[in-house]
């Protein structure tokens, strides 16, 4: 099993969600987050005053998938979240040692 975390632009969430819903039994957790990378924030104008916004609003998607699904899910994320502009985000894939469904006690792939 692998954990996939994707940091995307909030405006792309519905498109990403729709694309990922095409895959069988794929659950996800969505978080509203703020941060910066290469983009380093931006400047905004408010009531005539300019100020620096250091942390850019982003959406984080977390999901745990079977290893056989990793390439498909990553490709779906790449295709649906990409705008081609700076700040499109990142995808992180990490090993998942154990998954346990609290209700039934199931472990491993059957707990996903």
């Amino acid at each position: 099993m692998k954990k996939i975390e994707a940091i995307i632009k909030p405006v792309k969430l519905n498109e990403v969600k729709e694309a990922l819903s095409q895959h069988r039994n794929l659950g996800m957790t969505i978080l509203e987050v703020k941060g910066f990378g290469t983009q380093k924030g931006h400047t905004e104008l408010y009531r005539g005053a300019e100020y620096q916004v250091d942390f850019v609003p982003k959406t984080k998607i977390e999901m745990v998938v079977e290893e056989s699904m990793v390439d498909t899910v990553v490709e779906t994320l790449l295709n649906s979240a990409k705008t081609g502009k700076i700040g499109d985000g990142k995808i992180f894939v990490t090993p998942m040692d154990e998954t346990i469904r609290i209700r039934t006690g199931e472990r491993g792939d059957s707990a996903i």
Side-chain angles (χ1 to χ4, degrees):
M1 291 175 293
K2 299 282 187 176
K3 181 176 186 179
I4 300 175
E5 297 173 277
I7 310 295
I8 64 169
K9 291 182 175 187
V11 297
K12 298 298 280 184
L13 178 59
N14 283 336
E15 189 176 335
V16 169
K17 185 184 74 150
E18 289 298 317
L20 288 171
S21 70
Q22 304 301 315
H23 303 292
R24 61 176 173 84
N25 300 329
L26 187 64
M28 64 186 83
T29 300
I30 308 296
L31 302 129
E32 293 177 7
V33 296
K34 292 181 182 183
F36 68 88
T38 309
Q39 196 174 358
K40 303 281 192 258
H42 62 277
T43 304
E44 287 190 5
L45 193 63
Y46 179 71
R47 293 189 177 183
E50 195 174 276
Y51 66 97
Q52 180 69 25
V53 177
D54 293 326
F55 295 104
V56 180
K58 298 288 183 177
T59 299
K60 181 178 183 180
I61 302 170
E62 295 181 352
M63 61 192 92
V64 176
V65 300
E66 299 171 15
E67 280 206 46
S68 61
M69 291 288 296
V70 171
D71 291 338
T72 303
V73 170
V74 167
E75 194 63 35
T76 301
L77 285 165
L78 285 170
N79 292 332
S80 58
K82 183 177 182 176
T83 66
K85 297 179 181 162
I86 192 166
D88 274 351
K90 301 271 191 297
I91 300 171
F92 306 98
V93 180
T94 55
M96 181 62 56
D97 292 334
E98 182 80 56
T99 302
I100 304 165
R101 185 184 310 265
I102 294 173
R103 178 177 53 88
T104 63
E106 293 172 283
R107 294 174 176 262
D109 290 344
S110 61
I112 300 175

